[in-house]
Amino acid sequence: MSKNERGYLSKNLVSSKKNHKFINMKLLATFLLFLCLLCTHAQSEYEPTEIDPYGLKNPIAPKQLDDFKPMIGMCDCDSQRKNADGTWAEAIKMTWKFKYIMNGMAIQDETLKADGKHSGSIRQFSKDSLQWYVHYYTSASPSPSLGSWKGAKKEDGTIVLYKPQKAPNGMDGFSRLTFYDITEEGYKWIGEWVDTKEKISFPFWRITCVKREE
């Protein structure tokens, strides 16, 4: 083999090694990009999208998220508060939207009311205590700490939540929030103050909702 041939061969071998290294690096970069996209998708695949505007329940989420499954979506509602004289005020129109959040691991709801007093909640189920923890916020009174209720779905199909709260006269009791008459077409909700034995009840807020066809 001549000197020129050896030189030509050497240059081609070097060039071949460089091309091989470049191809390997390109394949590695492509694989890492694919892996990154796959991980990103896995972190958000159950979030709301154009196809599923209210998100989806994550398969690894507690099965109790199905307690609120009939509410997922948008409802048109009538909201009534009780007046100081014990009568019910005129109903206020509102929408109540439920959706999955945190990649399908929890539920968030939001109300938009005609009187401008909007509100919402974050709903998480604890597999340890087997209870729902609900944190409430409202535009009417922003607070550095959110009011919270806890409870569970009962055998009769109602979802009942409690928060310790004294009556105006100082009697111990609870703020009790109940979802009932729950169907795919809608549901009802009532807020009450009850004594610790739940023998005395003073309703203060009630809402009737009809599922919106979308």
Side-chain angles (χ1 to χ4, degrees), residues 127-171:
K127 291 187 288 186
D128 295 327
S129 66
L130 296 181
Q131 293 198 91
W132 279 99
Y133 295 117
V134 179
H135 299 274
Y136 173 79
Y137 48 91
T138 172
S139 63
S141 55
S143 172
S145 59
L146 302 182
S148 62
W149 283 254
K150 63 181 180 179
K153 185 175 182 179
K154 306 296 184 180
E155 290 184 2
D156 63 2
T158 61
I159 301 172
V160 188
L161 307 163
Y162 298 89
K163 181 182 77 169
Q165 183 174 304
K166 290 183 179 292
N169 64 3
M171 183 185 297

Side-chain angles (χ1 to χ4, degrees), residues 191-211:
E192 306 164 274
W193 180 88
V194 296
D195 70 310
T196 53
K197 295 183 179 180
E198 299 186 70
K199 300 295 184 182
I200 303 172
S201 169
F202 292 101
F204 58 84
W205 193 357
R206 63 188 183 189
I207 302 172
T208 301
C209 294
V210 176
K211 202 73 170 285

